[in-house]
Amino acid sequence: LGPWDLRDLVRIADANKLNVATPRVIGGNRDVMKAIKSKCPVGRRVSRIEFFAVLLTASAYRCLYELLDPTINAIGWGYEYLLKHYCQAFSKPAPFEIGIIDALVARHVGAELEANNTLTHTNTASRSAARQTNDTRVPTSLVTGTTYSEADAWAAQVALYKSVRSAGLPGPPHGPARIYGCLK
């Protein structure tokens, strides 16, 4: 795990016409972010990623922004399942492309920091404001100073999918992330 330059991520994303790119993330929650044995030394085109160190084009950001609704899902879980599916409509005739750059690796250290009690200062102002206003849209886990629980995450994801379906949009594709090919 060596250092890498953000310009490398931008260069590879541009060369492969990716709307969304991320380095492979050690310690991520989704299987798609883990190292795989493949014939793709640079990286792979995939159906979804996990949001950690993400590079988005302006159009991909606009699409994600339109999709986000913190009153329904303030945690953010589940958006990665909808992103390609939802944003494909905005990128026609060009396909909406997502890639994991396996040649670049980042580490998710949130769990390590929390285990060492060094994450407790995060979002202090947000937690204080939520406590004072009794804002029920803010997950309890943020108010108490811990990260969200697995139950909070799944509840937020279910609420998001119900909202999408009630708006007449198709829900997310199910099953494991698909790999569409290699990056160069």
Side-chain angles (χ1 to χ4, degrees):
L1 183 70
W4 52 272
D5 193 315
L6 180 59
R7 290 174 287 210
D8 294 333
L9 182 63
V10 172
R11 181 183 47 76
I12 295 168
D14 284 348
N16 288 278
K17 296 181 174 33
L18 298 176
N19 301 87
V20 179
T22 183
R24 184 170 57 85
V25 177
I26 294 173
N29 296 309
R30 308 282 194 211
D31 285 342
V32 70
M33 299 305 289
K34 296 181 170 122
I36 62 166
K37 291 181 181 178
S38 81
K39 297 178 181 179
C40 304
V42 173
R44 52 209 144 108
R45 292 179 191 280
V46 294
S47 57
R48 68 175 178 266
I49 59 163
E50 189 171 1
F51 292 123
F52 284 117
V54 180
L55 176 70
L56 298 128
T57 62
S59 62
Y61 177 81
R62 279 191 299 275
C63 180
L64 177 61
Y65 182 83
E66 291 295 321
L67 187 59
L68 294 174
D69 187 343
T71 62
I72 295 170
N73 181 339
I75 291 173
W77 265 45
Y79 288 106
E80 73 275 17
Y81 285 89
L82 294 171
L83 190 64
K84 182 175 179 77
H85 190 65
Y86 183 81
C87 296
Q88 185 69 46
F90 293 102
S91 62
K92 295 192 186 250
F96 189 85
E97 298 290 343
I98 300 173
I100 297 173
I101 316 300
D102 290 311
L104 305 174
V105 180
R107 179 182 301 278
H108 176 33
V109 296
E112 295 171 27
L113 293 174
E114 188 175 317
N116 296 326
N117 290 324
T118 55
L119 195 62
T120 55
H121 68 280
T122 305
N123 291 329
T124 302
S126 301
R127 289 193 307 271
S128 176
R131 260 191 239 105
Q132 291 172 6
T133 63
N134 294 321
D135 189 342
T136 58
R137 295 171 300 168
V138 177
T140 306
S141 57
L142 293 179
V143 175
T144 61
T146 61
T147 62
Y148 53 83
S149 70
E150 190 84 12
D152 288 339
W154 285 111
Q157 190 168 324
V158 167
L160 172 65
Y161 297 161
K162 283 182 181 177
S163 172
V164 165
R165 286 191 187 100
S166 71
L169 299 168
H174 295 287
R178 293 186 51 207
I179 298 173
Y180 293 104
C182 294
L183 302 176
K184 52 185 175 172

